[in-house]
Amino acid sequence: MTTQPDPVHHLLDRLLRDVLLPEEREQLAGAVRILQARVNEQGGAASVAVSAVRLMNQAGAQRDAAEARVRELEAQVARLTPGTSPAEHCGHQIPALTKHTERTECVLRPGHHGSHATQHGARWWWISNAEATP
Ligand SMILES: [Zn+2]
């Protein structure tokens, strides 16, 4: 933070002592106008900074959504690429029991009976889904 220049202090002191000369009055008015312009510039700069932060936050949210979409599409490509997974499978996602649960899909054929199964043999079914109960 900058301090006010000495001439302004001197002029303010003379104003408060009621001994300000007419030309000093003009000098003080000019100094006040300059200070007001600086305050306005800083307000404008602060407004620009706030807008920039808002834009950066929006860009971050768009980036996160785009990255999630890329992951979805990559998973879809992996599912549809021959040799990387069964050509056709049920596709039900294993429930996320913990945040560490690997989100894999059922590898059994579509319309299979009984519980769903991962490629590692883990089995699950939805209690409310009558057709998936074993
Ligand atoms: Zn299944």
Short mmCIF file of all heavy atoms in Angstrom, two decimals, residues 90-116:
data_model
loop_
_atom_site.label_atom_id
_atom_site.label_comp_id
_atom_site.label_asym_id
_atom_site.label_seq_id
_atom_site.Cartn_x
_atom_site.Cartn_y
_atom_site.Cartn_z
N CYS A 90 -24.11 -58.42 -20.62
CA CYS A 90 -25.23 -57.83 -19.89
C CYS A 90 -25.00 -56.34 -19.64
O CYS A 90 -25.86 -55.51 -19.91
CB CYS A 90 -25.43 -58.60 -18.59
SG CYS A 90 -26.50 -57.83 -17.41
N GLY A 91 -23.83 -55.99 -19.11
CA GLY A 91 -23.49 -54.59 -18.93
C GLY A 91 -23.95 -53.97 -17.63
O GLY A 91 -23.65 -52.81 -17.38
N HIS A 92 -24.66 -54.72 -16.77
CA HIS A 92 -25.06 -54.15 -15.47
C HIS A 92 -23.81 -53.82 -14.68
O HIS A 92 -22.89 -54.62 -14.62
CB HIS A 92 -25.91 -55.13 -14.68
CG HIS A 92 -27.35 -55.12 -15.10
ND1 HIS A 92 -28.37 -54.93 -14.21
CD2 HIS A 92 -27.92 -55.27 -16.31
CE1 HIS A 92 -29.53 -54.96 -14.86
NE2 HIS A 92 -29.27 -55.18 -16.14
N GLN A 93 -23.78 -52.61 -14.09
CA GLN A 93 -22.62 -52.19 -13.31
C GLN A 93 -22.69 -52.79 -11.92
O GLN A 93 -23.75 -52.84 -11.29
CB GLN A 93 -22.58 -50.67 -13.20
CG GLN A 93 -22.15 -50.00 -14.49
CD GLN A 93 -20.96 -49.09 -14.27
OE1 GLN A 93 -20.84 -48.52 -13.20
NE2 GLN A 93 -20.10 -48.97 -15.25
N ILE A 94 -21.54 -53.27 -11.43
CA ILE A 94 -21.45 -53.78 -10.07
C ILE A 94 -21.74 -52.61 -9.12
O ILE A 94 -21.32 -51.48 -9.39
CB ILE A 94 -20.08 -54.42 -9.80
CG1 ILE A 94 -20.10 -55.21 -8.48
CG2 ILE A 94 -18.97 -53.39 -9.78
CD1 ILE A 94 -18.87 -56.09 -8.29
N PRO A 95 -22.48 -52.83 -8.02
CA PRO A 95 -22.79 -51.73 -7.11
C PRO A 95 -21.52 -51.18 -6.47
O PRO A 95 -20.58 -51.93 -6.21
CB PRO A 95 -23.68 -52.36 -6.05
CG PRO A 95 -24.02 -53.71 -6.52
CD PRO A 95 -23.09 -54.08 -7.62
N ALA A 96 -21.51 -49.87 -6.24
CA ALA A 96 -20.38 -49.22 -5.57
C ALA A 96 -20.56 -49.37 -4.07
O ALA A 96 -21.15 -48.53 -3.42
CB ALA A 96 -20.30 -47.76 -5.98
N LEU A 97 -20.07 -50.48 -3.51
CA LEU A 97 -20.23 -50.73 -2.08
C LEU A 97 -19.33 -49.82 -1.26
O LEU A 97 -19.68 -49.42 -0.16
CB LEU A 97 -19.93 -52.19 -1.77
CG LEU A 97 -20.82 -53.19 -2.52
CD1 LEU A 97 -20.39 -54.61 -2.24
CD2 LEU A 97 -22.28 -52.97 -2.14
N THR A 98 -18.17 -49.50 -1.79
CA THR A 98 -17.27 -48.54 -1.16
C THR A 98 -16.75 -47.66 -2.28
O THR A 98 -16.94 -47.95 -3.45
CB THR A 98 -16.07 -49.21 -0.47
OG1 THR A 98 -15.21 -49.73 -1.46
CG2 THR A 98 -16.51 -50.31 0.48
N LYS A 99 -16.07 -46.59 -1.88
CA LYS A 99 -15.52 -45.72 -2.93
C LYS A 99 -14.35 -46.39 -3.63
O LYS A 99 -13.89 -45.92 -4.65
CB LYS A 99 -15.13 -44.36 -2.37
CG LYS A 99 -14.00 -44.38 -1.37
CD LYS A 99 -13.72 -42.97 -0.89
CE LYS A 99 -12.59 -42.97 0.12
NZ LYS A 99 -12.31 -41.63 0.63
N HIS A 100 -13.87 -47.51 -3.10
CA HIS A 100 -12.75 -48.21 -3.71
C HIS A 100 -13.21 -49.35 -4.62
O HIS A 100 -12.39 -50.03 -5.21
CB HIS A 100 -11.80 -48.76 -2.63
CG HIS A 100 -11.28 -47.69 -1.72
ND1 HIS A 100 -10.45 -46.68 -2.16
CD2 HIS A 100 -11.51 -47.44 -0.42
CE1 HIS A 100 -10.18 -45.87 -1.15
NE2 HIS A 100 -10.81 -46.30 -0.09
N THR A 101 -14.53 -49.58 -4.67
CA THR A 101 -15.04 -50.66 -5.50
C THR A 101 -14.72 -50.38 -6.96
O THR A 101 -15.00 -49.31 -7.47
CB THR A 101 -16.57 -50.77 -5.35
OG1 THR A 101 -16.88 -51.02 -3.99
CG2 THR A 101 -17.11 -51.91 -6.21
N GLU A 102 -14.09 -51.37 -7.62
CA GLU A 102 -13.82 -51.23 -9.05
C GLU A 102 -15.15 -51.32 -9.78
O GLU A 102 -15.89 -52.28 -9.60
CB GLU A 102 -12.87 -52.34 -9.51
CG GLU A 102 -12.51 -52.24 -10.97
CD GLU A 102 -11.66 -53.42 -11.43
OE1 GLU A 102 -11.34 -54.30 -10.61
OE2 GLU A 102 -11.33 -53.45 -12.62
N ARG A 103 -15.49 -50.31 -10.58
CA ARG A 103 -16.79 -50.26 -11.27
C ARG A 103 -16.69 -51.06 -12.57
O ARG A 103 -16.40 -50.52 -13.62
CB ARG A 103 -17.23 -48.82 -11.54
CG ARG A 103 -17.45 -47.98 -10.31
CD ARG A 103 -18.46 -48.59 -9.33
NE ARG A 103 -19.75 -48.87 -9.91
CZ ARG A 103 -20.75 -48.01 -9.99
NH1 ARG A 103 -20.61 -46.82 -9.50
NH2 ARG A 103 -21.88 -48.35 -10.55
N THR A 104 -16.90 -52.35 -12.46
CA THR A 104 -16.89 -53.18 -13.66
C THR A 104 -18.32 -53.59 -13.97
O THR A 104 -19.23 -53.40 -13.18
CB THR A 104 -16.03 -54.44 -13.45
OG1 THR A 104 -16.54 -55.15 -12.33
CG2 THR A 104 -14.58 -54.07 -13.22
N GLU A 105 -18.48 -54.16 -15.15
CA GLU A 105 -19.81 -54.54 -15.61
C GLU A 105 -19.95 -56.06 -15.63
O GLU A 105 -18.97 -56.79 -15.70
CB GLU A 105 -20.04 -54.00 -17.01
CG GLU A 105 -20.04 -52.49 -17.07
CD GLU A 105 -20.25 -51.99 -18.48
OE1 GLU A 105 -20.10 -52.80 -19.43
OE2 GLU A 105 -20.55 -50.81 -18.63
N CYS A 106 -21.20 -56.49 -15.64
CA CYS A 106 -21.51 -57.90 -15.77
C CYS A 106 -21.05 -58.39 -17.15
O CYS A 106 -21.31 -57.74 -18.16
CB CYS A 106 -23.01 -58.11 -15.62
SG CYS A 106 -23.53 -59.83 -15.86
N VAL A 107 -20.34 -59.53 -17.16
CA VAL A 107 -19.79 -60.04 -18.42
C VAL A 107 -20.64 -61.18 -18.98
O VAL A 107 -20.28 -61.78 -20.00
CB VAL A 107 -18.32 -60.51 -18.23
CG1 VAL A 107 -17.44 -59.33 -17.89
CG2 VAL A 107 -18.24 -61.60 -17.16
N LEU A 108 -21.76 -61.49 -18.33
CA LEU A 108 -22.62 -62.56 -18.84
C LEU A 108 -23.41 -62.05 -20.04
O LEU A 108 -23.49 -60.85 -20.29
CB LEU A 108 -23.56 -63.05 -17.73
CG LEU A 108 -22.86 -63.58 -16.47
CD1 LEU A 108 -23.89 -64.00 -15.45
CD2 LEU A 108 -21.91 -64.72 -16.82
N ARG A 109 -24.00 -62.99 -20.79
CA ARG A 109 -24.72 -62.60 -22.00
C ARG A 109 -25.98 -61.81 -21.63
O ARG A 109 -26.55 -62.00 -20.56
CB ARG A 109 -25.10 -63.86 -22.80
CG ARG A 109 -23.86 -64.62 -23.28
CD ARG A 109 -24.20 -65.68 -24.27
NE ARG A 109 -24.74 -65.15 -25.53
CZ ARG A 109 -23.99 -64.60 -26.48
NH1 ARG A 109 -22.69 -64.49 -26.33
NH2 ARG A 109 -24.53 -64.17 -27.58
N PRO A 110 -26.41 -60.94 -22.50
CA PRO A 110 -27.63 -60.17 -22.22
C PRO A 110 -28.82 -61.10 -21.96
O PRO A 110 -28.96 -62.12 -22.63
CB PRO A 110 -27.84 -59.36 -23.50
CG PRO A 110 -26.50 -59.32 -24.17
CD PRO A 110 -25.81 -60.59 -23.79
N GLY A 111 -29.64 -60.77 -21.00
CA GLY A 111 -30.83 -61.54 -20.70
C GLY A 111 -30.55 -62.80 -19.90
O GLY A 111 -31.43 -63.66 -19.76
N HIS A 112 -29.32 -62.93 -19.37
CA HIS A 112 -28.98 -64.14 -18.61
C HIS A 112 -29.88 -64.25 -17.37
O HIS A 112 -30.47 -63.27 -16.93
CB HIS A 112 -27.51 -64.13 -18.19
CG HIS A 112 -27.18 -63.04 -17.20
ND1 HIS A 112 -27.35 -63.18 -15.86
CD2 HIS A 112 -26.71 -61.78 -17.39
CE1 HIS A 112 -26.99 -62.07 -15.25
NE2 HIS A 112 -26.60 -61.19 -16.17
N HIS A 113 -29.97 -65.46 -16.81
CA HIS A 113 -30.73 -65.68 -15.58
C HIS A 113 -29.76 -65.71 -14.42
O HIS A 113 -28.58 -65.96 -14.59
CB HIS A 113 -31.51 -67.00 -15.67
CG HIS A 113 -32.57 -66.96 -16.73
ND1 HIS A 113 -33.75 -66.28 -16.56
CD2 HIS A 113 -32.62 -67.48 -17.98
CE1 HIS A 113 -34.48 -66.39 -17.66
NE2 HIS A 113 -33.81 -67.12 -18.55
N GLY A 114 -30.27 -65.46 -13.22
CA GLY A 114 -29.44 -65.52 -12.03
C GLY A 114 -28.69 -64.22 -11.80
O GLY A 114 -29.00 -63.18 -12.38
N SER A 115 -27.69 -64.34 -10.94
CA SER A 115 -26.95 -63.15 -10.55
C SER A 115 -26.01 -62.69 -11.67
O SER A 115 -25.68 -63.44 -12.58
CB SER A 115 -26.15 -63.44 -9.28
OG SER A 115 -25.25 -64.51 -9.53
N HIS A 116 -25.60 -61.43 -11.57
CA HIS A 116 -24.62 -60.87 -12.50
C HIS A 116 -23.24 -61.34 -12.08
O HIS A 116 -23.03 -61.77 -10.94
CB HIS A 116 -24.68 -59.34 -12.48
CG HIS A 116 -26.02 -58.80 -12.87
ND1 HIS A 116 -26.49 -58.82 -14.15
CD2 HIS A 116 -27.01 -58.23 -12.12
CE1 HIS A 116 -27.70 -58.26 -14.20
NE2 HIS A 116 -28.04 -57.91 -12.96
#
